[in-house]
Amino acid sequence: LPSDVMLNVLFNFVFLLVGSSQTTLDIQFHQWCDQVGIKTPHAKLITTSNSVAGRGVFAEGDINEGTPVIIIPEYLVLHDYNAALNFPHVAKELEKKRSRYYKNLNKKALWRRFLLLVRRKKKFNNEEDSNNNNFLFATPDDFWQADLTAYSLAVLQTENHFWKPWISQWHRQDHMQAMYEKGISWNDDIAVDDGVTQLNNVLPYLSKNRLKAAVQLRLGRMKELHRLYEGFSSTSTTTYESKEDFAMYGILTSRAMDLGEGISAVIPMYDMINH
C-alpha cells in the first residue's frame, strides 16, 4: 500500500506506546504475517487501552516520506475475486442466491422502496415480507457485504486455510455490533431507540434522528441480505437465524474498504490501522 496512505492514518502514532507490550495473540498474528509474506518494518500490532478499539496498529518510530510502512501481498486481500478462487463451491452457491434478487424484484418492490424514502415510519405487516419478496434496503451494490461474510464464515469452517489465523482474531464490541448480534429489526422502535441512545452517548455531536436513520438502514439491509441469501453460512439451516451470521456481518462490514471499480475488500493489518 502507498506510504502516504499509511502516513495519513499513522500520523499521530509515530512512536511505540510507552509501557505497552504485545499479547500472545499479537505475537501470533505477527508470526502469521511473517509466514504469509506481510512485512511490517515500521509498524506493530498492539493490544492497549490507548487504542480506540483496544487493539490497533502503531508506528514504531519516525517515518520518512516514501518509506514503506506495511507491505501486503495482493493474494491476501479478502475480496470477491480472491475468495472465489479459494472457495469456488461457495462462489457458485452465492451466484444462485444473488439471482433470486433479480427474479423477485418487481415494480411493487420498487414502489415500496419509494414509500420507505418518503415515509420512513411506515410499518409493514411483516418485516421479512417473505411472501412478496420485496427489498426496501438491499440493492446489488450491497451484495458484497453478504458475499464476503459468507466467505469469511467458510474460512472459519475450513482446516488450515491461510486466512484462518487472521479472520479468527476478528473482534468488534460496540453498541451497533450488539444490535447486529441480537438481530434487531429495523422497525422495532423500542430496541432501536435504546441502541441509538447508547450510540448518542458516544457520538453526542450527531443528532438522534440522524443516528436512528443510519441504524435502521443498516439493520434493515443486514436482515434483507440474510433473508435473500437464506443465511450467510453455507451450513445455515432452513431457519437460518444465526447469531454467528449476524456477528460476522457486523465485524466484516466495519473492517471493509472500497478499493474502487466496485470492489470492496478487507486487508489484513490495514483493517486495524484506524484503531
Side-chain angles (χ1 to χ4, degrees):
L1 291 174
S3 60
D4 59 333
V5 175
M6 296 294 185
L7 286 171
N8 287 336
V9 182
L10 290 168
F11 182 77
N12 292 320
F13 305 107
V14 294
F15 57 89
L16 183 62
L17 294 177
V18 177
S20 297
S21 59
Q22 289 185 305
T23 65
T24 300
L25 286 177
D26 297 337
I27 294 172
Q28 290 175 351
F29 180 80
H30 273 277
Q31 291 173 341
W32 174 79
C33 288
D34 292 337
Q35 293 171 2
V36 297
I38 296 176
K39 301 184 185 301
T40 58
H42 298 288
K44 183 175 289 187
L45 176 68
I46 303 174
T47 297
T48 170
S49 59
N50 290 284
S51 166
V52 295
R55 191 187 198 202
V57 176
F58 295 85
E60 293 194 81
D62 293 337
I63 302 174
N64 295 322
E65 184 176 356
T67 301
V69 178
I70 302 174
I71 302 170
I72 305 167
E74 196 277 335
Y75 85 94
L76 291 172
V77 178
L78 176 62
H79 53 55
D80 279 338
Y81 301 103
N82 278 345
L85 289 175
N86 282 272
F87 297 94
H89 62 291
V90 175
K92 186 176 181 179
E93 288 300 315
L94 293 175
E95 180 60 33
K96 292 178 181 177
K97 293 178 178 182
R98 287 192 296 270
S99 68
R100 284 198 292 268
Y101 179 91
Y102 301 101
K103 180 180 179 180
N104 296 322
L105 190 64
N106 50 45
K107 292 182 179 180
K108 186 175 181 181
L110 293 174
W111 174 246
R112 293 186 69 173
R113 185 184 298 277
F114 173 74
L115 288 179
L116 175 69
L117 296 175
V118 176
R119 298 175 61 193
R120 182 173 57 84
K121 296 293 290 183
K122 180 178 177 63
K123 297 292 189 298
F124 302 106
N125 292 331
N126 185 343
E127 181 211 21
E128 302 298 337
D129 200 17
S130 57
N131 293 326
N132 293 314
N133 292 308
N134 292 317
F135 299 94
L136 304 171
F137 302 93
T139 72
D141 290 339
D142 304 314
F143 288 168
W144 67 267
Q145 300 177 22
D147 290 346
L148 294 187
T149 298
Y151 285 124
S152 300
L153 290 167
V155 170
L156 296 182
Q157 295 162 3
T158 304
E159 291 292 334
N160 301 320
H161 193 278
F162 61 82
W163 273 327
K164 191 168 186 177
W166 165 46
I167 293 178
S168 63
Q169 288 197 26
W170 285 3
H171 179 70
R172 181 183 180 187
Q173 187 175 2
D174 57 46
H175 300 304
M176 189 68 229
Q177 179 68 11
M179 285 188 279
Y180 279 138
E181 293 182 9
K182 293 176 182 177
I184 293 174
S185 298
W186 71 271
N187 56 2
D188 183 343
D189 280 336
I190 295 177
V192 170
D193 286 343
D194 180 62
V196 167
T197 297
Q198 295 181 64
L199 284 170
N200 189 240
N201 291 334
V202 181
L203 304 167
Y205 47 88
L206 293 178
S207 72
K208 284 190 175 182
N209 286 336
R210 288 175 180 267
L211 280 173
K212 184 171 183 176
V215 166
Q216 288 180 311
L217 286 170
R218 284 165 173 76
L219 292 175
R221 182 182 299 124
M222 180 190 73
K223 295 297 283 292
E224 284 188 354
L225 288 171
H226 197 252
R227 171 167 56 88
L228 172 66
Y229 280 64
E230 295 183 345
F232 299 134
S233 172
S234 60
T235 60
S236 294
T237 63
T238 53
T239 57
Y240 59 82
E241 287 297 328
S242 168
K243 180 180 178 180
E244 289 73 21
D245 279 10
F246 297 152
M248 178 60 77
Y249 177 91
I251 294 171
L252 180 132
T253 53
S254 74
R255 289 171 174 259
M257 64 179 296
D258 181 10
L259 298 183
E261 299 183 358
I263 301 175
S264 295
V266 187
I267 305 175
M269 200 69 169
Y270 189 85
D271 60 341
M272 292 179 286
I273 207 166
N274 64 329
H275 295 174

